[in-house]
Amino acid sequence: FSNSYELLILLREKNLLKNSPKYWWPNVGSFEVVVGAILTQNTKWENVQKALNKWKIENGELRVEVVASFDVSYLAEIIKPVGFYNQKAKRLIALSRNILRDFGNFESFSENVDREWLLNQKGIGFETADSILCYACFREVMVVDAYTKRLLKKSGYEFESYDEMKEWCERGILENWDKIKSFYEDDLNLCFARFHGKIVEFMKK
Ligand SMILES: Cn1cnc2c(N)nc[n+](C)c21
């Protein structure tokens, strides 16, 4: 493939998201995605699901107001399966408090947050910030991760930086946006959400 549009076409034929939620990440558009994006750092997704399921059994749906009120030891106990649980608990509580301080609630955060604000939060780097923007805030931005890097490297592409790889992934598709729109029946096509999900599922096989 010579650009990301052609890569998307190749991946689409493999029907990689048939067992996944519509936009791949479970509960897109929710605060749960923000939590999952932090929890999944340096661990397997299965561990994140374990921690989230345990959490929801005890506390019901994840809400930013509730996390902001947790003490670190209580949250660390719940998220133990993901590793680095004290650090992640501290960061999730601080992030939740900053969301309430700067935006008032999750809905306003989802509409108004930008990458800079996220990158200023402790424990949020490029991949976590872009995951939150894409899957929690419905922004058409591409998430690139170790799977993306490996796939592109295998196909002969080398990049100097995260942002250069992200730009390559976005450019090819944006240049063919009119064709893309015809693929997806609904308006909210979150193309990059599916594209990233397909790459991860392809590389996990
Ligand atoms: C949402 N999400 C984040 N990281 C994931 C992964 N590695 N594998 C599968 N899923 C669904 C994931």
Side-chain angles (χ1 to χ4, degrees):
F1 51 87
S2 60
N3 63 41
S4 58
Y5 170 71
E6 289 177 10
L7 172 56
L8 176 60
I9 300 297
L10 287 173
L11 292 174
R12 267 175 61 100
E13 284 155 21
K14 301 177 189 310
N15 204 5
L16 292 156
L17 303 187
K18 62 180 174 297
N19 304 323
S20 303
K22 186 170 185 189
Y23 296 110
W24 182 65
W25 199 298
N27 297 318
V28 285
S30 71
F31 178 65
E32 178 180 321
V33 171
V34 177
V35 174
I38 302 263
L39 295 185
T40 198
Q41 292 169 351
N42 307 306
T43 190
K44 292 199 313 279
W45 181 247
E46 290 66 33
N47 297 334
V48 178
Q49 282 177 308
K50 258 187 238 154
L52 290 178
N53 291 338
K54 200 169 148 211
W55 180 329
K56 287 193 269 190
I57 289 166
E58 287 179 26
N59 297 283
E61 177 229 354
L62 278 63
R63 290 177 46 73
V64 58
E65 292 81 1
V66 173
V67 178
S69 70
F70 278 164
D71 62 50
V72 175
S73 55
Y74 176 73
L75 180 52
E77 190 52 40
I78 298 177
I79 63 172
K80 232 175 188 137
V82 301
F84 307 97
Y85 42 86
N86 283 312
Q87 189 182 67
K88 288 178 182 175
K90 221 180 297 176
R91 288 172 173 179
L92 272 172
I93 292 168
L95 173 63
S96 300
R97 288 179 179 163
N98 290 346
I99 288 174
L100 294 177
R101 181 196 64 197
D102 296 349
F103 300 95
N105 58 44
F106 173 72
E107 288 64 36
S108 164
F109 163 83
S110 174
E111 264 165 55
N112 301 299
V113 72
D114 61 17
R115 199 179 197 225
E116 186 191 0
W117 188 92
L118 288 166
L119 292 173
N120 282 333
Q121 306 306 311
K122 266 190 80 54
I124 295 188
F126 288 148
E127 183 184 332
T128 304
D130 289 337
S131 295
I132 290 170
L133 288 170
C134 176
Y135 295 100
C137 308
F138 288 133
R139 308 293 171 84
E140 278 291 7
V141 297
M142 182 65 182
V143 178
V144 296
D145 58 8
Y147 292 115
T148 318
K149 191 170 183 169
R150 213 159 60 231
L151 172 57
L152 294 179
K153 194 171 167 71
K154 243 170 35 148
S155 314
Y157 288 91
E158 293 274 345
F159 296 94
E160 300 296 311
S161 70
Y162 176 99
D163 277 348
E164 196 191 308
M165 192 184 324
K166 174 179 164 167
E167 204 277 328
W168 184 90
C169 289
E170 291 181 348
R171 185 170 3 101
I173 283 179
L174 293 175
E175 283 168 355
N176 291 277
W177 196 253
D178 48 325
K179 292 188 210 111
I180 298 273
K181 294 296 278 183
S182 61
F183 293 165
Y184 296 119
E185 65 294 342
D186 59 0
D187 53 346
L188 185 69
N189 61 39
L190 266 187
C191 168
F192 291 116
R194 290 188 177 110
F195 183 34
H196 173 67
K198 292 175 195 290
I199 291 173
V200 174
E201 296 307 331
F202 176 71
M203 293 306 285
K204 283 170 77 169
K205 282 191 172 27

